[in-house]
Amino acid sequence: MTVSTYTPADLIDPDLHASGEVHRLWRRMRQHTPVHWHEPGDLPGFWSLTRYEDVRHAYQNPALFSSAQGVLLRPTELGEDPGSGLTMALTDPPRHRALRGQVADRFTERCARSLVDEMRAEIRSVVTRALDKGTCDVVHDIGARLSSYNISRLLGVPSDDREQLLRWSTEAFVSGKPLTSHVPLMRYFIDMMYARMETPADDAMSMFVNNEVQGDLLTETEILLGVENLVGASENAGLSMAAGILALAAHPQQWQRLVRERDDELVRTAAEEVLRWTSSATHSMRTATADTVVQGRHIAAGDRIVLWIPSANRDESVFTEPDRFDLGRQPNRHLALGTGEHVCIGSTMARHQMRMLLETLVELVAAIEPAGDVEPLRSITVNGPEHATVRLVAN
C-alpha cells in the first residue's frame, strides 16, 4: 500500500504506526479532517483529534472529556477497562486529584533533586556497561533498565531485586498483556503490599497502602492497579530514552552540537525535543460527558474521543518545521507528558532522568552509531523501538 492510499481508517493498523508513515496520514488529517469519526468494528466507534489545540483542550477539560471510562482503545469484545474509576489515570477530579495527592510527594521536584546523585550514578553505570559491550540494544540495555530501576526505587523495591523486576516487567511489556496478568510480578507486589501494611517505609508503596484517599484507605485491588499504573507508565520513559538515543545516532550534527556546546540550557531544551520527537504515548482516550462541538463536528455525550499525541506534537501551526529534530527548539510546549489535571505524575522525574542521560552520554561517549536494524513496536498505544542495536564509542 502506498502512502497516498492510506485513509483515516488505517489509524488503527499497528503496521502503519510501525512503518512511521502514520505521520504523513496525520499531517493530511490535520489539514483536511482534523476531527474524524471512525465507525465501530473490532474497536468501538471513536473520534480522532489530530491538531494540537484540540488535543490540548481535551486534556485541560476533564469535566467535559472524562478519563473515568478508560484512556486506551480496547477491543469491543473486552468491554470497559476493569480499572475504570480506580486509578489515577482512569478517574476525574476530584477523585483523580485525591489519588494523585496520595503519592505525589515521591514525584516532586524536591524528591527528584534529592535523588540526583543516586540517579546519576545509576545512569553512569548503565552507560558504562553499554560501552563495555561495544554494541547494545538501547531499548533493553539502557531505556528499559533505567526506567525500571527508577520506578522500583520510588516504590521501595530493594536494589537486589530490581534486576528481577526488570526481567518480569519486560516479559509483561513484550507480551502486550496487562502487568497484572504476570503472576510472579504481581505476587511480588502483593507480598510487598502486605509487608508495608505491617511496617511502613518512606516509599510510594507505603503511601498507596497507608495514606487515605477522601477519608478511606484504598482496597487491595486499587493498590495493585495503582502500582501497575506507575510501572506501566515508566515503560514510556524507557521508550523515550531509547528512541532519543536512536534520534541522536540518526542526526549526528545534533549530537555533535550537544558535545561541542556542553551547555546546561541546551541539555534542557534537548531533553524536551527528545520527548516531543519520540512521543512514546501514541494515544489517550476520553469520553464526552455532554454534547459538544470540536472544529465544527458535533460530538455526542458518551462518544469516545482519541487524542493522537504524536500528531499534536508535529502540528505545523504550533511547531516550526515540526519534522526537524532540533535540540535547541524553543518554544517547545509539547504534549508528550500530557497537560492539565492528567499531566504525567512522573513528568518531573522523567525530565531529570532524560537530562542526566544526555549529560552522561556527552561525558562518556564520543560517537553513537547505528549497528543493526531497528525493530519498531507494532502498536497503536505506544511508539518506539522494540529492539535497536547501536554502537557507543567511548571518549
Side-chain angles (χ1 to χ4, degrees), residues 264-296:
D264 288 347
E265 179 60 17
L266 181 60
V267 169
R268 186 192 68 77
T269 60
E272 297 302 322
E273 179 68 344
V274 167
L275 290 169
R276 181 194 76 90
W277 184 261
T278 59
S279 292
S280 60
T282 306
H283 82 262
S284 190
M285 189 178 72
R286 298 294 185 268
T287 301
T289 60
D291 293 353
T292 189
V293 176
V294 181
Q295 298 289 344

Side-chain angles (χ1 to χ4, degrees), residues 372-394:
D373 292 335
V374 175
E375 183 180 342
L377 285 164
R378 293 183 64 261
S379 172
I380 66 169
T381 303
V382 289
N383 168 51
E386 185 167 350
H387 297 288
T389 304
V390 301
R391 178 177 295 103
L392 300 184
V393 181

Side-chain angles (χ1 to χ4, degrees), residues 231-245:
V231 174
S234 76
E235 298 287 354
N236 283 347
L239 285 173
S240 289
M241 287 185 280
I245 293 173

Side-chain angles (χ1 to χ4, degrees), residues 244-261 266 277 325-327 362 365-370 391:
I245 293 173
L246 289 180
L248 292 171
H251 299 84
Q253 290 182 330
Q254 290 296 310
W255 164 248
Q256 288 302 322
R257 178 184 180 186
L258 198 61
V259 171
R260 182 177 63 253
E261 296 187 22
L266 181 60
W277 184 261
F325 183 59
D326 177 9
L327 297 185
V362 167
V365 177
I368 305 172
E369 302 170 349
R391 178 177 295 103

Side-chain angles (χ1 to χ4, degrees), residues 3 14-26 314 376 383:
V3 69
D15 287 330
L16 176 62
H17 290 263
S19 73
E21 295 292 348
V22 67
H23 283 286
R24 298 192 187 189
L25 176 57
W26 276 325
R314 296 203 187 186
N383 168 51

Side-chain angles (χ1 to χ4, degrees), residues 11 26 53 62 79 113 138 160 174 196 203 221 244 270 300 342 386:
L11 271 182
W26 276 325
E53 287 302 333
R113 289 185 181 279
V138 290
D160 289 346
V174 169
R196 292 300 189 271
D203 54 44
T221 297
H342 277 273
E386 185 167 350

Side-chain angles (χ1 to χ4, degrees), residues 206-352:
S206 295
M207 293 175 175
F208 274 128
V209 169
N210 298 296
N211 288 0
E212 292 185 353
V213 175
Q214 296 177 313
D216 295 309
L217 293 174
L218 297 186
T219 66
E220 294 172 359
T221 297
E222 288 172 324
I223 292 167
L224 294 173
L225 286 173
V227 170
E228 180 196 30
N229 193 177
L230 292 183
V231 174
S234 76
E235 298 287 354
N236 283 347
L239 285 173
S240 289
M241 287 185 280
I245 293 173
L246 289 180
L248 292 171
H251 299 84
Q253 290 182 330
Q254 290 296 310
W255 164 248
Q256 288 302 322
R257 178 184 180 186
L258 198 61
V259 171
R260 182 177 63 253
E261 296 187 22
R262 295 177 180 259
D263 176 72
D264 288 347
E265 179 60 17
L266 181 60
V267 169
R268 186 192 68 77
T269 60
E272 297 302 322
E273 179 68 344
V274 167
L275 290 169
R276 181 194 76 90
W277 184 261
T278 59
S279 292
S280 60
T282 306
H283 82 262
S284 190
M285 189 178 72
R286 298 294 185 268
T287 301
T289 60
D291 293 353
T292 189
V293 176
V294 181
Q295 298 289 344
R297 303 299 301 270
H298 292 269
I299 296 174
D303 283 355
R304 293 172 174 84
I305 304 101
V306 171
L307 322 180
W308 295 105
I309 301 162
S311 177
N313 284 340
R314 296 203 187 186
D315 188 333
E316 301 83 354
S317 70
V318 176
F319 301 96
T320 303
E321 296 183 79
D323 294 323
R324 180 166 61 91
F325 183 59
D326 177 9
L327 297 185
R329 182 180 296 276
Q330 291 192 73
N332 192 353
R333 295 184 293 273
H334 64 79
L335 301 174
L337 299 173
T339 187
E341 292 278 354
H342 277 273
V343 67
C344 175
I345 192 171
S347 59
T348 297
M349 199 69 69
R351 286 184 161 98
H352 272 274

